[in-house]
């Protein structure tokens, strides 16, 4: 069950530096569908007040948006200086679409935050990345490719978030071949591109969205390429890495597969509101001054989902998955597909690394 945040618990703090404002207009973006609207940029004063609530803890701070590099360098400097004054252990990373990432920005971070971990969002080669466009519907791939080459030249390690959209399917080898060109890439997290908005016409989403089963088949093929071409020497891949760790009884960093769920994740918006993981319905995830979810309905709903999971043989590995995604599945058909698809993936990886598969949700004939 989701527990109250203890005084010694590490927490993740997501800073919505630009609210949900972004300089590009990805076709599948759900960030702009959020109900947030208000102050444009997070101020150092608001951040300082919120950070005081976490004093003495370990915090993992993610500079996020929208697009965080829309901030001026002076505003970013004030944010970083405020974090540096935090009374406790802290770690900082930034998640950017990299279209604005430049030598000047890398110089800035090297001077003011050399320990910054850099995350870049890109879905693979130009074809797979074609849904990431600007407001004139122009592709952004060349700008991001240029940023990756710059990071390569500067020796700046990068983590990748890659959305598995419809153009990604059956392009697994192309995608990993592209990423393997960059020795600076150390981790890739392949995220699903699931459609949840029933108000949209089916023909509007079928060209980009993927199902849970399509996503799992993609990850299975990615695993085979990763192993066959020995790309595991270049970079780790999630969710593969997290599943392997859990199958060996170890903890996973990726939140979908670890036991620390939404109550340990905090999202700070420019208006000063402190909410939980932004995968959840933001209006239901407001935190109280004691840093626990204020809306007990939301907390109870999350715990109901986890209570169902504890009856499942896969729980020790998947830890209940993403509660935000599972809660949104309540509004669409085939709500069990998320869990069933995940069980296929876990058993596939188990067999691939010579660990006994669980096989409790999958019909035996599917293994023949």
């Amino acid at each position: 069950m989701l527990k109250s945040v203890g005084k010694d618990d590490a927490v993740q703090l997501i800073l919505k530096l630009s609210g949900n404002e972004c300089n590009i207009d990805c076709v599948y973006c759900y960030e702009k569908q959020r109900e947030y609207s208000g102050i444009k940029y997070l101020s150092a004063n608001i951040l300082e007040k919120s950070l005081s609530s976490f004093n003495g803890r370990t915090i993992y701070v993610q500079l996020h948006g929208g697009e965080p590099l829309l901030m001026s360098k002076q505003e970013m400097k004030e944010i970083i200086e405020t974090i540096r004054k935090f009374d406790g252990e802290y770690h900082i990373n930034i998640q950017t679409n990299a279209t604005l990432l430049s030598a000047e920005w890398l110089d800035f971070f090297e001077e003011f935050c050399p320990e910054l971990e850099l995350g870049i969002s890109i879905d693979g080669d130009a074809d797979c990345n074609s849904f990431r466009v600007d407001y004139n519907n122009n592709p952004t791939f060349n700008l991001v490719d240029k940023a990756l080459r710059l990071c390569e030249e500067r020796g700046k390690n990068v983590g990748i978030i890659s959305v598995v959209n419809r153009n990604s399917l059956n392009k697994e080898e192309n995608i990993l071949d592209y990423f393997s060109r960059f020795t600076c890439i150390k981790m890739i997290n392949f995220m699903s591109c699931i459609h949840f908005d029933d108000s949209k016409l089916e023909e509007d989403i079928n060209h980009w969205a993927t199902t849970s089963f399509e996503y799992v088949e993609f990850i299975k093929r990615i695993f085979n390429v990763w192993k066959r071409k020995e790309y595991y020497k270049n970079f780790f891949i999630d969710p593969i890495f997290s599943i392997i760790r859990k199958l060996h009884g170890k903890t996973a960093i990726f939140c979908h597969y670890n036991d620390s769920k939404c109550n340990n994740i905090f999202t700070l918006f420019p208006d000063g509101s402190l909410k939980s993981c932004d995968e959840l319905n933001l209006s239901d995830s407001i935190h109280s001054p004691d840093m626990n979810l204020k809306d007990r309905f939301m907390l109870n709903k999350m715990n109901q989902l986890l209570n169902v999971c504890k009856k499942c043989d896969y729980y020790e590995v998947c830890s209940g998955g993403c509660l935000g995604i599972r809660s949104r599945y309540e509004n669409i058909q085939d709500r069990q597909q998320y869990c069933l698809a995940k069980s296929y993936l876990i058993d596939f990886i188990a067999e691939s690394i010579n660990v006994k598969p669980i096989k409790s949700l999958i019909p035996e004939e599917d293994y023949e």
Side-chain angles (χ1 to χ4, degrees), residues 307-321:
N307 284 336
V308 171
C309 294
K310 290 182 178 180
K311 303 172 185 176
C312 176
D313 293 336
Y314 290 87
Y315 180 68
E316 291 299 317
V317 178
C318 85
S319 296

Side-chain angles (χ1 to χ4, degrees), residues 5-145:
V5 183
K7 63 179 181 179
D8 298 322
D9 290 340
V11 297
Q12 180 179 353
L13 179 61
I14 301 170
L15 304 183
K16 292 288 189 180
L17 297 185
S18 58
N20 60 2
E21 182 178 2
C22 188
N23 63 316
I24 66 174
D25 191 28
C26 300
V27 173
Y28 53 65
C29 181
Y30 64 83
E31 187 69 41
K32 292 170 186 174
Q33 299 172 22
R34 312 271 183 182
E35 58 267 43
Y36 174 79
S37 62
I39 303 170
K40 183 175 288 189
Y41 296 120
L42 179 67
S43 71
N45 288 337
I46 289 207
L47 175 58
E48 185 173 20
K49 291 177 183 177
S50 294
L51 281 176
S52 63
S53 302
F54 300 96
N55 282 341
R57 301 171 185 270
T58 297
I59 59 171
Y60 293 84
V61 182
Q62 183 173 88
L63 309 179
H64 206 280
E67 170 50 47
L69 295 185
L70 285 172
M71 260 194 164
S72 70
K73 292 182 178 63
Q74 179 59 38
E75 290 170 314
M76 185 70 77
K77 180 184 175 187
E78 292 171 1
I79 291 292
I80 290 172
E81 288 175 341
T82 302
I83 296 171
R84 285 189 172 280
K85 291 187 281 187
F86 174 69
D87 181 17
E89 181 182 346
Y90 63 86
H91 306 266
I92 310 178
N93 69 72
I94 188 169
Q95 188 63 43
T96 172
N97 62 41
T99 58
L100 301 175
L101 189 62
S102 61
E104 291 74 20
W105 268 115
L106 290 180
D107 289 341
F108 171 88
F109 289 126
E110 186 174 334
E111 178 179 359
F112 295 106
C113 194
E115 73 276 25
L116 178 83
E117 296 181 0
L118 178 61
I120 288 177
S121 301
I122 180 173
D123 299 341
D125 61 18
D127 182 46
C128 297
N129 200 67
S130 60
F131 292 124
R132 299 181 61 82
V133 295
D134 65 17
Y135 282 91
N136 292 317
N137 206 36
N138 296 314
T140 62
F141 172 78
N142 288 339
L143 291 172
V144 187
D145 180 78

Side-chain angles (χ1 to χ4, degrees), residues 140-185:
T140 62
F141 172 78
N142 288 339
L143 291 172
V144 187
D145 180 78
K146 180 180 178 180
L148 280 172
R149 295 181 189 281
L150 180 61
C151 292
E152 181 84 356
E153 293 170 7
R154 300 284 289 266
K156 182 66 177 177
N157 288 344
V158 173
I160 297 292
I161 287 184
S162 181
V163 175
V164 181
N165 59 72
R166 187 148 297 280
N167 285 352
S168 308
L169 302 181
N170 299 309
K171 303 285 183 58
E172 294 81 7
E173 190 153 356
N174 291 351
I175 292 170
L176 289 194
D177 285 348
Y178 172 72
F179 287 139
S180 71
R181 299 176 190 175
F182 303 97
T183 60
C184 62
I185 294 178

Side-chain angles (χ1 to χ4, degrees), residues 81-297:
E81 288 175 341
T82 302
I83 296 171
R84 285 189 172 280
K85 291 187 281 187
F86 174 69
D87 181 17
E89 181 182 346
Y90 63 86
H91 306 266
I92 310 178
N93 69 72
I94 188 169
Q95 188 63 43
T96 172
N97 62 41
T99 58
L100 301 175
L101 189 62
S102 61
E104 291 74 20
W105 268 115
L106 290 180
D107 289 341
F108 171 88
F109 289 126
E110 186 174 334
E111 178 179 359
F112 295 106
C113 194
E115 73 276 25
L116 178 83
E117 296 181 0
L118 178 61
I120 288 177
S121 301
I122 180 173
D123 299 341
D125 61 18
D127 182 46
C128 297
N129 200 67
S130 60
F131 292 124
R132 299 181 61 82
V133 295
D134 65 17
Y135 282 91
N136 292 317
N137 206 36
N138 296 314
T140 62
F141 172 78
N142 288 339
L143 291 172
V144 187
D145 180 78
K146 180 180 178 180
L148 280 172
R149 295 181 189 281
L150 180 61
C151 292
E152 181 84 356
E153 293 170 7
R154 300 284 289 266
K156 182 66 177 177
N157 288 344
V158 173
I160 297 292
I161 287 184
S162 181
V163 175
V164 181
N165 59 72
R166 187 148 297 280
N167 285 352
S168 308
L169 302 181
N170 299 309
K171 303 285 183 58
E172 294 81 7
E173 190 153 356
N174 291 351
I175 292 170
L176 289 194
D177 285 348
Y178 172 72
F179 287 139
S180 71
R181 299 176 190 175
F182 303 97
T183 60
C184 62
I185 294 178
K186 302 302 181 184
M187 184 73 184
I188 306 170
N189 192 342
F190 287 105
M191 306 294 290
S192 58
C193 187
I194 303 172
H195 158 62
F196 291 102
D197 188 354
D198 285 334
S199 67
K200 291 187 176 181
L201 295 176
E202 187 172 348
E203 58 267 25
D204 291 336
I205 58 93
N206 278 347
H207 72 292
W208 57 261
T210 54
T211 68
S212 291
F213 290 108
E214 288 173 327
Y215 169 74
V216 162
E217 290 303 313
F218 171 91
I219 297 297
K220 287 164 65 176
R221 290 190 290 266
I222 279 285
F223 179 88
N224 287 333
V225 175
W226 184 61
K227 185 171 63 171
R228 173 169 53 85
K229 290 200 165 184
E230 297 187 346
Y231 285 150
Y232 52 81
K233 296 178 180 178
N234 300 41
F235 39 70
F236 294 119
I237 292 176
D238 257 335
I240 295 168
F241 183 56
S242 290
I243 292 173
I244 291 174
R245 287 187 60 86
K246 292 300 291 289
L247 286 168
H248 285 95
K250 299 181 179 181
T251 58
I253 296 175
F254 185 25
C255 62
H256 290 200
Y257 287 86
N258 68 32
D259 296 327
S260 297
K261 296 297 180 185
C262 313
N263 213 32
N264 286 64
I265 300 176
F266 299 81
T267 304
L268 180 63
F269 286 82
D271 63 2
S273 59
L274 189 65
K275 303 187 179 185
S276 186
C277 172
D278 65 354
E279 288 283 358
L280 300 177
N281 185 325
L282 296 182
S283 63
D284 293 330
S285 65
I286 299 172
H287 278 279
S288 59
D290 64 357
M291 296 188 302
N292 290 300
L293 280 175
K294 187 175 181 180
D295 191 296
R296 307 310 296 180
F297 171 78

